[in-house]
Amino acid sequence: MIVDKPNRGPREGDVITIKSYKHDGSLHRTWRDTMVLKTSENVLIGLNDHTLVTEDNGRRWVTREPAIVYFHKKYWFNIIAMIRDNGVSYYCNLASPYVLDKEALKYIDYDLDVKVFPDGEKHLLDADEYAAHSKKWHYPVEIDRILKAHVKILVDWINQGKGPFSQGYVDVWYSRYQYLMQQRLNDRR
């Protein structure tokens, strides 16, 4: 008798690819080799460190610093905490909740971004790109309503230092990454 094994998602220490798409289904950007730090029913936390990124036009570049990535299946945003010498900066994408398949973690990027500087200053970015793409791809009114509501949730998280916006969160997950990397080095010896 053949028994199919249940499809398991990635586990701590696994490496995955992340792909962002635009509303029309076109591939926007790909990140290779994101290390998974935690998965749960709704959340995936990972870390990029000198990760290869490929843009939709084929241009490639490598991330400059370690960055903790946070994805949620119920929130219309994802969060990148970039660990820099002058403190933690955040880049938050307004995006669909993620899906995960055998190929990659995937989401739709809805153009709007919130950047948070180490001193807490916030900037809403790419509103013009959102307006242009909204017209070009006919974003449904419901998507617009959801994104506006989730910008408010995101800003509340930022103001309250909730989850990824807490220094403790960054410290815990970056330490976990360093531990896992050390374990890999020890296993190779």
Side-chain angles (χ1 to χ4, degrees), residues 13-40:
D14 287 351
V15 174
I16 63 169
T17 296
I18 298 172
K19 292 187 173 192
S20 72
Y21 294 84
K22 288 299 186 179
H23 185 78
D24 70 345
S26 63
L27 183 63
H28 173 55
R29 187 173 288 137
T30 303
W31 291 261
R32 293 261 329 265
D33 301 333
T34 297
M35 180 185 279
V36 174
L37 301 177
K38 178 185 177 178
T39 59
S40 68

Side-chain angles (χ1 to χ4, degrees), residues 59-78:
R59 186 175 77 86
R60 295 170 165 225
W61 53 279
V62 175
T63 59
R64 294 181 304 204
E65 66 269 314
I68 299 167
V69 295
Y70 174 90
F71 295 91
H72 201 287
K73 288 186 177 176
K74 296 190 186 285
Y75 293 111
W76 285 66
F77 53 79
N78 57 65

Side-chain angles (χ1 to χ4, degrees), residues 67-72 77-81 90-93 154 157-158 162-165 169:
I68 299 167
V69 295
Y70 174 90
F71 295 91
H72 201 287
F77 53 79
N78 57 65
I79 301 164
I80 304 163
Y90 295 90
Y91 200 88
C92 311
N93 297 294
L154 179 61
W157 282 28
I158 294 165
K162 183 175 178 179
F165 300 102
Y169 172 100

Side-chain angles (χ1 to χ4, degrees), residues 153-166:
I153 293 168
L154 179 61
V155 170
D156 283 346
W157 282 28
I158 294 165
N159 291 339
Q160 295 171 20
K162 183 175 178 179
F165 300 102
S166 145

